[in-house]
Amino acid sequence: MAGVGSHAFGSRAHAARFERNPAAREPAAVKWIIITVSMLFFASFLLLPLYAVFSEALRKGWQAYWEALVEPDAVASMRLTLLAAAIAVPLNLVFGIAAAWAIAKHDFRGKHVLVTLIDLPFSVSPVIAGLVYILVFGAQGWFGPWLSEHDIKIVFAVPGIILATIFVTVPFVARELIPLMEAQGREEEEAALVLGATGWQTFFRVTLPNIKWGLLYGVILCNARAMGEFGAVSVVSGHIRGQTNTMPLQVEILYNEYNFAAAFAVASLLALLALVTLVIKTVIEWRLGREPHPIGAP
């Protein structure tokens, strides 16, 4: 204990000497220049676009704004966006937990292959992913003739949009949980099993409480990407009004028709979603920062 105490005292003394040493600190001018540049970048690339979206959306008044939001095609796009997210996020939640559990808590052949496959949607363009679905399920694709014979529509229909959304959101939950579970180690789970707990009891009473905030963080990011996805969904949707247009696609159509007020009205909902996501993400990061980390965890 004396060694630990002397080490802690030495660390504090070193930090105190660092604070007192002017040569070890950056000049005040450099600090303020960095802060100013950061704030200007923040204002130019985040605050200014947000202001432009909401100002254009409300340019014709609140009544026109509301009419644009309750227009049938806009409502259909909102409903489809929520449906795609409501299906994609829970599926990726289950997959992310299972994949992270397998990678972090077990050793098996092909672990590195599984990690690479999880990262695949990050490296593949969403447009390419949409084209792959057309190649597989399109009318001239591998399964196209069989699907046509059985009157099953995947491409240019809601199932294709859901599949594309699932693909682009696969990594988010798993990628948040894998490093967290690896940092926590396997000791607690092994101790629970030694004491007679079953696998499910170990998961629900030991593992899940330890990863709850990281899990929620990944779900929020997954949901934000699901609702804002454009590239892959645009390829497989067919842009059928009132049927296969999500909110981002509806914004594109309205903007191309020079209906700017309605386009920005729908875009403002996506912007509000982004702001809410940012607030929740900040709260979760704050909670994660307050909770004690396991030994060896960052």
Side-chain angles (χ1 to χ4, degrees), residues 126-127 130 134 156 161 164 229-239 244-246 248-249 252:
V127 175
I134 291 180
F156 308 142
I161 294 174
E229 173 56 28
F230 179 84
V233 171
S234 177
V235 174
V236 301
S237 72
H239 297 274
T244 64
N245 281 334
T246 59
L249 301 183
E252 180 194 32

Side-chain angles (χ1 to χ4, degrees), residues 74-108:
V75 173
S77 70
M78 299 174 200
R79 187 182 299 113
L80 180 57
T81 300
L82 293 176
L83 174 64
I87 296 175
V89 173
L91 291 178
N92 281 320
L93 169 65
V94 174
F95 169 78
I97 294 175
W101 174 278
I103 292 170
K105 306 295 184 179
H106 299 85
D107 295 317
F108 57 92

